[in-house]
Amino acid sequence: MDMMPLDLPTLFPLLLALLATALLLLRRQKHPKNVCCNVPKGTMGWPFIGETLEFLSPHRSNSIGTFLQQRCSRYGKVFKSHLFGSPAIVSCDNEFNMFILQNEGKLFQASYPKAMQGILGQYSLLIVSGEHHRKLRGIAVSFSAMSKSSPVFHSRIEKLAFSMLESWRGRKEIAFLEEMKKFTLSLMVKTVLSIDPEEPVAMRFLQDFRTYMKGFISLPLNVPGSAYAKAVKARARLSRTVKEIIKQREMTNTTTTSSGEENGDFLEVILSKHSSIRQMNDDEKVSSVLDIVLGGYETTSTLISLVVYFLHRSPAALLAFKEEHEAIRRNKGKGQPLGWEDYQKMDFTRNVTKEAVRCGNLVKFLHRKALQDVEFKGHLIPRGWKVLPVLAGPNLDPSLHHDHLQFNPWRWTEDKEIGKKTMGYGGGPRVCPGSDLAKVMVAFFLHHLVLAYRWKVKEDEYPIAYPYVEFRNGLHVEIEPVESHV
């Protein structure tokens, strides 16, 4: 007897069952029953999107948010989820986070969503790995180490700080975060490319860069008119601008600006004849420039804003902070610029900055991927799964910090182990290469701010993780000038 043909409605459930069986067998073959049970507990959420929307839900940045609180309470500090289109292990555990970051390139690897790669470019420090990453990061670290104690760099900070503070005269209220973004972006463009803010090319660069930045917090929809599509186009324009500047610098072969000032900028470093740098192609140079500007612009402006926010809420810390800067100013002649030796005296300022990073959580989490099956304290992290170390977890862990929600700069001298219990700038081979440069920028600007103005933060303001830190209303601050200290 002939077999009856199978129509599509009959065939589809059969194929679906066969596919499910094949996937189950493959999973069991890859992770035996006695092993896969050790994958951390958790929930996977909806198909494809998983729990991504809940994970990214905005919350006060001086907390870990409802999503993490609930899951840590239910499953522990390490749990499984489904995030950014992939099964994932999420960690709020300090020891596990350090293990992940210290094993970069061995057991784990940076793995950012493709949407971010479309904006950052294939040669961004956030994207590349292995020897390529070590080479590009080494250049950034070298520039940061050279610049942080440079009088030229210090002079640039102070010149722009004076200009901004003077522009506030006669104003009673400012949108502080927006002002800090103007300050840090202008400073980074000057430091990286030796372009003054008032130059036409600088204005074009600044406008494109702001559009570029908006792409990081937009839906990854590359359709005409979307913020993401505009960011991709802005990145292309920035690339062309940087390449034009590189070409002009190479043609003139000059080390000074039009005003006769030494460049001493990042572009000068990447155009040097050092063998490892000479091998960089133009796209690598462009990515290196944008990475440095990005790091110095976004996180530094937010960090200054967090310091201002938390100092307003801690009168004792603000008083100690101001006294430190008054003492430094008393020991300098009228109009004498700040120098490296002054920064080294700013012990309490550095503690204030570190505490603002701990409480405000500049970076909530990092993107990693397991390169192989990894076992840690009885947990299995399957090969290919995303791994998200949440830096805010250890920073706000009540088992690690006394009064963990309290802004207390003195804890950085009282607790000798606190550096091992906080994660402000990442860790391991990918720790932020420009963090030391940013600390000098923050300290020098705040020196002049605290001596020039009193401020009061609006009551309805607080930092929010989006996951990038913003303020509820842009950090509107009431200001009142004090006697000139210049």
Side-chain angles (χ1 to χ4, degrees), residues 376-396:
F376 185 83
K377 286 191 170 182
H379 290 310
L380 170 72
I381 297 86
R383 178 174 64 86
W385 280 36
K386 286 190 73 72
V387 182
L388 303 178
V390 179
L391 307 190
N395 290 346
L396 300 174

Side-chain angles (χ1 to χ4, degrees), residues 8-235:
L8 187 59
T10 306
L11 186 60
F12 182 76
L14 179 60
L15 290 174
L16 194 62
L18 289 172
L19 179 61
T21 303
L23 289 174
L24 182 60
L25 290 172
L26 183 62
R27 181 183 178 89
R28 287 180 175 176
Q29 184 178 25
K30 187 175 177 181
H31 302 297
K33 186 175 181 179
N34 63 334
V35 175
C36 71
C37 296
N38 294 327
V39 172
K41 296 179 180 179
T43 53
M44 304 301 272
W46 295 93
F48 185 68
I49 63 171
E51 299 180 309
T52 306
L53 296 181
E54 296 169 87
F55 180 73
L56 296 177
S57 179
H59 61 85
R60 289 178 182 257
S61 77
N62 52 341
S63 76
I64 62 173
T66 302
F67 176 86
L68 291 174
Q69 288 172 348
Q70 290 178 345
R71 277 144 186 84
C72 285
S73 176
R74 191 177 305 164
Y75 306 116
K77 295 177 184 178
V78 180
F79 59 91
K80 72 177 179 181
S81 183
H82 196 283
L83 302 167
F84 305 102
S86 170
I89 300 296
V90 181
S91 170
C92 291
D93 180 78
N94 185 53
E95 190 176 351
F96 187 37
N97 285 1
M98 289 301 299
F99 177 77
I100 295 167
L101 299 181
Q102 293 297 337
N103 282 282
E104 167 73 26
K106 303 171 187 175
L107 304 177
F108 305 95
Q109 180 176 293
S111 179
Y112 284 83
K114 289 184 178 179
M116 285 189 66
Q117 296 180 34
I119 300 176
L120 289 167
Q122 62 177 321
Y123 295 117
S124 171
L125 269 175
L126 287 173
I127 306 299
V128 297
S129 57
E131 185 59 35
H132 201 173
H133 176 265
R134 282 189 289 273
K135 182 184 77 171
L136 296 181
R137 185 179 184 280
I139 296 169
V141 170
S142 175
F143 176 71
S144 177
M146 175 185 70
S147 299
K148 69 180 182 182
S149 58
S150 166
V152 173
F153 178 61
H154 299 161
S155 175
R156 288 170 176 168
I157 300 174
E158 292 199 283
K159 182 180 178 180
L160 285 169
F162 288 144
S163 176
M164 173 147 285
L165 295 175
E166 186 60 32
S167 73
W168 296 351
R169 296 292 174 182
R171 298 168 65 180
K172 294 185 178 181
E173 184 177 314
I174 56 171
F176 192 84
L177 179 57
E178 180 63 24
E179 293 290 294
M180 288 305 95
K181 287 183 176 181
K182 293 177 185 176
F183 168 72
T184 56
L185 188 51
S186 296
L187 178 58
M188 291 314 299
V189 170
K190 179 67 174 176
T191 301
V192 173
L193 300 170
S194 290
I195 300 175
D196 292 312
E198 60 272 13
E199 294 184 47
V201 65
M203 297 174 68
R204 188 171 71 246
F205 188 97
L206 299 178
Q207 183 177 353
D208 283 339
F209 200 87
R210 297 295 291 270
T211 304
Y212 167 67
M213 282 300 305
K214 290 178 182 177
F216 289 99
I217 54 173
S218 65
L219 290 173
L221 300 175
N222 199 3
V223 295
S226 69
Y228 182 83
K230 290 179 180 178
V232 172
K233 289 183 178 179
R235 207 272 183 193

Side-chain angles (χ1 to χ4, degrees), residues 125 139-141 143-144 146-147 150 152-154 156-157 160 183-197 199 201-202 205-206 209 238 241-246 249 254-257 261-272 280 284-298 300 433-434 437-438 441:
L125 269 175
I139 296 169
V141 170
F143 176 71
S144 177
M146 175 185 70
S147 299
S150 166
V152 173
F153 178 61
H154 299 161
R156 288 170 176 168
I157 300 174
L160 285 169
F183 168 72
T184 56
L185 188 51
S186 296
L187 178 58
M188 291 314 299
V189 170
K190 179 67 174 176
T191 301
V192 173
L193 300 170
S194 290
I195 300 175
D196 292 312
E199 294 184 47
V201 65
F205 188 97
L206 299 178
F209 200 87
L238 287 168
T241 300
V242 174
K243 287 179 180 179
E244 288 172 6
I245 296 171
I246 289 174
R249 185 76 67 87
T254 181
T255 60
T256 59
T257 64
E261 178 190 43
E262 285 290 327
N263 281 321
D265 59 19
F266 182 65
L267 194 57
E268 186 177 306
V269 173
I270 64 175
L271 292 180
S272 74
M280 294 175 68
E284 287 177 311
K285 293 172 183 177
V286 168
S287 283
S288 293
V289 165
L290 296 183
D291 282 342
I292 292 289
V293 175
L294 173 62
Y297 160 69
E298 181 66 20
T300 308
L437 206 62
M441 292 166 59

Side-chain angles (χ1 to χ4, degrees), residues 3 76-77 105 187 200 233 277 308 363 378 391 401 431 447 461:
M3 295 182 63
K77 295 177 184 178
L187 178 58
K233 289 183 178 179
I277 300 174
V308 164
V363 180
L391 307 190
H401 308 288
V431 67
H447 169 84
E461 289 283 11

Side-chain angles (χ1 to χ4, degrees), residues 195-418:
I195 300 175
D196 292 312
E198 60 272 13
E199 294 184 47
V201 65
M203 297 174 68
R204 188 171 71 246
F205 188 97
L206 299 178
Q207 183 177 353
D208 283 339
F209 200 87
R210 297 295 291 270
T211 304
Y212 167 67
M213 282 300 305
K214 290 178 182 177
F216 289 99
I217 54 173
S218 65
L219 290 173
L221 300 175
N222 199 3
V223 295
S226 69
Y228 182 83
K230 290 179 180 178
V232 172
K233 289 183 178 179
R235 207 272 183 193
R237 291 194 298 270
L238 287 168
S239 177
R240 289 194 295 270
T241 300
V242 174
K243 287 179 180 179
E244 288 172 6
I245 296 171
I246 289 174
K247 185 177 180 180
Q248 292 172 3
R249 185 76 67 87
E250 287 177 331
M251 288 176 62
T252 57
N253 194 29
T254 181
T255 60
T256 59
T257 64
S258 57
S259 61
E261 178 190 43
E262 285 290 327
N263 281 321
D265 59 19
F266 182 65
L267 194 57
E268 186 177 306
V269 173
I270 64 175
L271 292 180
S272 74
K273 302 304 180 183
H274 190 280
S275 60
S276 64
I277 300 174
R278 189 170 63 245
Q279 296 169 7
M280 294 175 68
N281 62 44
D282 285 349
D283 288 330
E284 287 177 311
K285 293 172 183 177
V286 168
S287 283
S288 293
V289 165
L290 296 183
D291 282 342
I292 292 289
V293 175
L294 173 62
Y297 160 69
E298 181 66 20
T299 55
T300 308
S301 59
T302 305
L303 178 53
I304 297 174
S305 301
L306 285 170
V307 169
V308 164
Y309 171 79
F310 285 117
L311 283 178
H312 168 72
R313 296 170 63 88
S314 177
L318 177 57
L319 178 61
F321 184 86
K322 186 173 184 178
E323 288 175 346
E324 178 173 83
H325 289 280
E326 287 175 336
I328 290 172
R329 184 47 54 186
R330 280 195 300 269
N331 290 326
K332 302 189 74 66
K334 184 175 178 62
Q336 186 178 358
L338 292 171
W340 180 245
E341 68 284 354
D342 297 309
Y343 174 73
Q344 292 176 308
K345 296 175 185 175
M346 299 179 185
D347 296 326
F348 189 71
T349 297
R350 286 192 292 275
N351 288 343
V352 165
T353 301
K354 288 184 284 190
E355 183 69 352
V357 172
R358 185 192 72 82
C359 291
N361 295 291
L362 279 174
V363 180
K364 180 180 177 180
F365 64 93
L366 302 172
H367 291 267
R368 296 294 184 266
K369 178 177 69 175
L371 296 175
Q372 62 188 58
D373 285 354
V374 179
E375 289 192 43
F376 185 83
K377 286 191 170 182
H379 290 310
L380 170 72
I381 297 86
R383 178 174 64 86
W385 280 36
K386 286 190 73 72
V387 182
L388 303 178
V390 179
L391 307 190
N395 290 346
L396 300 174
D397 190 333
S399 70
L400 298 178
H401 308 288
H402 177 67
D403 283 342
H404 62 291
L405 298 180
Q406 183 70 31
F407 179 79
N408 176 17
W410 291 276
R411 75 171 77 239
W412 290 86
T413 53
E414 296 167 355
D415 184 353
K416 302 302 180 184
E417 299 294 314
I418 191 170

